[in-house]
Amino acid sequence: MKDEINRKSQPLLTIKGLKTEFRVQDNKVLRAVDGIDLAINSGEIHGLVGESGCGKTVASLSVLRLISPPGYISAGEVLWNGNNLLRLKKGEIRKIRGKEIAMIFQNPQGSLNPLYTIGEQIASIIRLHKNISKREAREEALRLLQEVKIPDPESRVNDYPHQLSGGMCQRVMIAMSLSCQPKLLIADEPTAALDVTIQAQILDLLLELRGRFQMAMLLISHDMGVVARMCDRISVMYLGKIVEESDAEGLYSNPKHPYTQALLKAVPIPNPSEKAAFSLLKGDLPSSIDIPSGCRFRTRCPKVFDRCIHEPELESVDQNGTMVACWLYEKE
Ligand SMILES: Nc1ncnc2c1ncn2[C@@H]1O[C@H](COP(=O)(O)OP(=O)(O)O)[C@@H](O)[C@H]1O
Ligand SMILES: [Mg+2]
């Protein structure tokens, strides 16, 4: 799989220098995404990890231009099929959303309309993008429910969201996202609200669908265990910036950035709550309104030294494409 990906030269999605800010009280600016670069190849699962509040969701919403005031994208490019999505007209980006790039979220129940059956909701998504009859759309909805392994789809298709468990609702969301055979699925903490067994089943389903449809994924998670299991490449985000990017094996066997090392040390805690998982780091995550100067991790870094008052760039450190933003790896 990885060799296949490496041979393709043009990434499917390329994010360059993306910055997204929010204007908050007292006219201050919160820099949620502070200049990130990221490239996703066809069929690849790319993980985006980092603790809560570091900008993962804002980054992914920015890709689809789903940021609304007081938020705004202040810089960067998002290249898709040679087009900069940030420059497209509203009508044009709408055609890409859902059809070429789909998205699923943490809270599937909240994303479904309680007043309509799941069959009606899937069928209406299909009809939004495809010119087919209601009857055909319903047939297609049934087929998609089978695809995501909902048991007894003929009867489930008439259920309302409240009649389904969280895991089943997430399957419905996945079915909807598959309806137009997107080339990229953005999955923002898709299993964070589910218990561990159901979480594993949903992750397995996503892996299987990637294999079958060659669909690339941007998988967002605060859980290193989840990304370890799923991803080909991983970007680690801290306070709005990517501090390390590596293939998954390299990241786990030889994490370079002190932040990545801290995240990985937090993994073996049984049933880690988000708080426990990050308690190894000293201090709280600084506010994105007041990002430390120099290396933004220096206020919490166990290896901080004098060089860290300057901001390190994300630089390549080996032959495998590992990139790190840390002065410990400064070249001569
Ligand atoms: N609508 C908003 N208004 C103001 N600040 C926001 C808004 N949405 C997100 N933020 C801020 O942007 C930063 C990144 O948030 P988010 O992308 O949700 O983090 P993550 O998904 O990594 O947990 C946080 O500091 C958050 O408080
Ligand atoms: Mg989030």
Side-chain angles (χ1 to χ4, degrees):
M1 183 78 215
K2 278 179 191 152
D3 286 349
E4 211 174 287
I5 288 164
N6 290 340
R7 262 182 267 125
K8 289 183 186 151
S9 51
Q10 191 76 3
L12 184 66
L13 177 84
T14 309
I15 300 174
K16 284 187 192 167
L18 177 69
K19 290 191 183 187
T20 305
E21 304 173 342
F22 291 89
R23 189 150 303 268
V24 289
Q25 67 276 42
D26 304 331
N27 228 10
K28 285 187 177 144
V29 172
L30 182 152
R31 291 182 281 155
V33 174
D34 201 24
I36 62 165
D37 297 316
L38 200 150
I40 304 177
N41 292 309
S42 302
E44 174 184 75
I45 304 188
H46 195 113
L48 185 59
V49 279
E51 66 203 290
S52 214
C54 72
K56 306 181 296 296
T57 295
V58 171
S60 65
L61 292 175
S62 303
V63 167
L64 286 173
R65 298 244 307 267
L66 291 169
I67 297 291
S68 40
Y72 54 93
I73 297 172
S74 64
E77 289 179 4
V78 176
L79 299 174
W80 177 259
N81 272 338
N83 287 318
N84 181 358
L85 298 185
L86 304 185
R87 288 272 165 80
L88 291 187
K89 297 206 177 78
K90 285 208 169 114
E92 294 170 323
I93 185 86
R94 257 189 231 122
K95 282 186 204 145
I96 289 176
R97 243 184 247 148
K99 193 167 190 187
E100 296 180 33
I101 306 178
M103 192 156 180
I104 57 173
F105 304 93
Q106 173 169 349
N107 174 4
Q109 263 111 343
S111 318
L112 289 165
N113 188 327
L115 302 177
Y116 294 91
T117 67
I118 58 168
E120 287 165 338
Q121 295 186 58
I122 301 176
S124 84
I125 290 273
I126 296 170
R127 277 166 52 88
L128 202 65
H129 292 287
K130 283 188 202 162
N131 189 12
I132 58 176
S133 71
K134 275 194 170 158
R135 201 196 144 84
E136 286 166 316
R138 196 185 148 83
E139 289 296 309
E140 178 73 4
L142 260 179
R143 194 188 60 74
L144 285 166
L145 289 178
Q146 279 157 356
E147 199 84 77
V148 298
K149 302 197 171 66
I150 291 202
D152 194 11
E154 276 87 1
S155 108
R156 287 303 195 178
V157 75
N158 300 316
D159 279 358
Y160 288 88
H162 76 267
Q163 295 173 281
L164 300 177
S165 66
M168 284 299 155
C169 282
Q170 194 57 287
R171 285 178 197 266
V172 171
M173 293 310 297
I174 295 170
M176 285 181 167
S177 74
L178 289 178
S179 63
C180 292
Q181 287 135 15
K183 295 190 191 74
L184 175 68
L185 175 67
I186 300 178
D188 188 358
E189 309 261 13
T191 60
L194 306 175
D195 73 47
V196 180
T197 333
I198 308 296
Q199 169 170 330
Q201 291 168 5
I202 297 287
L203 295 177
D204 282 345
L205 173 68
L206 288 174
L207 276 178
E208 187 190 320
L209 295 172
R210 183 276 288 265
R212 211 156 60 230
F213 301 115
Q214 280 302 296
M215 175 176 69
M217 250 179 258
L218 176 62
L219 178 67
I220 296 172
S221 181
H222 66 270
D223 184 334
M224 289 301 261
V226 167
V227 283
R229 169 179 177 151
M230 299 287 291
C231 298
D232 302 300
R233 283 192 78 75
I234 297 171
S235 293
V236 180
M237 198 166 175
Y238 184 76
L239 267 186
K241 273 227 154 149
I242 308 276
V243 296
E244 178 160 0
E245 189 201 316
S246 164
D247 63 64
E249 282 158 48
L251 194 89
Y252 286 88
S253 60
N254 187 9
K256 299 250 175 0
H257 198 284
Y259 181 60
T260 315
Q261 292 168 357
L263 290 185
L264 280 168
K265 280 201 199 111
V267 170
I269 300 172
N271 292 329
S273 72
E274 227 172 298
K275 254 205 151 67
F278 292 104
S279 62
L280 284 162
L281 290 170
K282 64 177 178 187
D284 292 331
L285 183 70
S287 159
S288 304
I289 299 172
D290 207 1
I291 294 176
S293 64
C295 173
R296 58 195 64 210
F297 187 54
R298 73 185 164 115
T299 55
R300 298 167 88 193
C301 184
K303 296 181 181 163
V304 62
F305 65 116
D306 51 4
R307 200 88 179 82
C308 308
I309 54 169
H310 305 286
E311 183 161 25
E313 294 289 318
L314 193 62
E315 306 238 26
S316 169
V317 290
D318 63 18
Q319 305 302 316
N320 308 325
T322 306
M323 313 269 284
V324 187
C326 177
W327 293 117
L328 291 172
Y329 304 93
E330 191 180 12
K331 293 199 182 103
E332 296 298 284

